[in-house]
Amino acid sequence: MFGKLKKLFMDKNDLETNDKYISVPESEINENLKRDIVKLERLGEVYSESLQYKYKSKFERDGKRNLKIWVCRDIDGDQISNLSSEQCLEKEYRSQVAINFEGFTDEEDAYIYYIQLWYYFGGYFKGSGALYDLSKNHLETDIKEKVEEILKQQ
């Protein structure tokens, strides 16, 4: 439930003003951007799988079982079973690398830790997006830092 509330009240300006993200006006949301989003999400999936494998035993030694790192997608907070990056240009589409442990599932409000990849803020007449900036950041490093941060927590 907390996850749903957090997403509901998350200010889109938090993403737009963060140096890890590129603000994308609606006029630039097109098929070229879609290709970039698909590539970013696939890269996120590769890094997630690799880092989950790498850190699984470290988490278990720390008493934190069932580490799961994955790319999750939703539209307006609702996860749809067959949702893929192909729908990334639909308003309110969001993708993120989610990190969980201790038996959490991939239900929409079950993850606590995440790194936003793409979010298309929809409005009635126009929207905008926030895209993780691969030109200034390294996604694998950001995921690894988040996992290390989680390991340090009790």
Side-chain angles (χ1 to χ4, degrees), residues 120-134:
Y120 185 3
F121 311 104
Y124 287 108
F125 301 106
K126 68 178 195 175
S128 64
L131 180 67
Y132 180 88
D133 188 354
L134 281 173

Side-chain angles (χ1 to χ4, degrees), residues 15-16 22-26 29 33 118-121 127-131:
L15 291 176
E16 291 177 338
I22 301 168
S23 180
V24 182
E26 178 135 23
I29 297 176
L33 176 66
W118 164 247
Y119 187 20
Y120 185 3
F121 311 104
S128 64
L131 180 67

Side-chain angles (χ1 to χ4, degrees), residues 63-75:
K64 299 173 180 171
R65 305 210 185 290
N66 303 316
L67 174 65
K68 183 175 180 185
I69 305 172
W70 77 106
V71 172
C72 64
R73 299 167 180 90
D74 67 67
I75 294 180

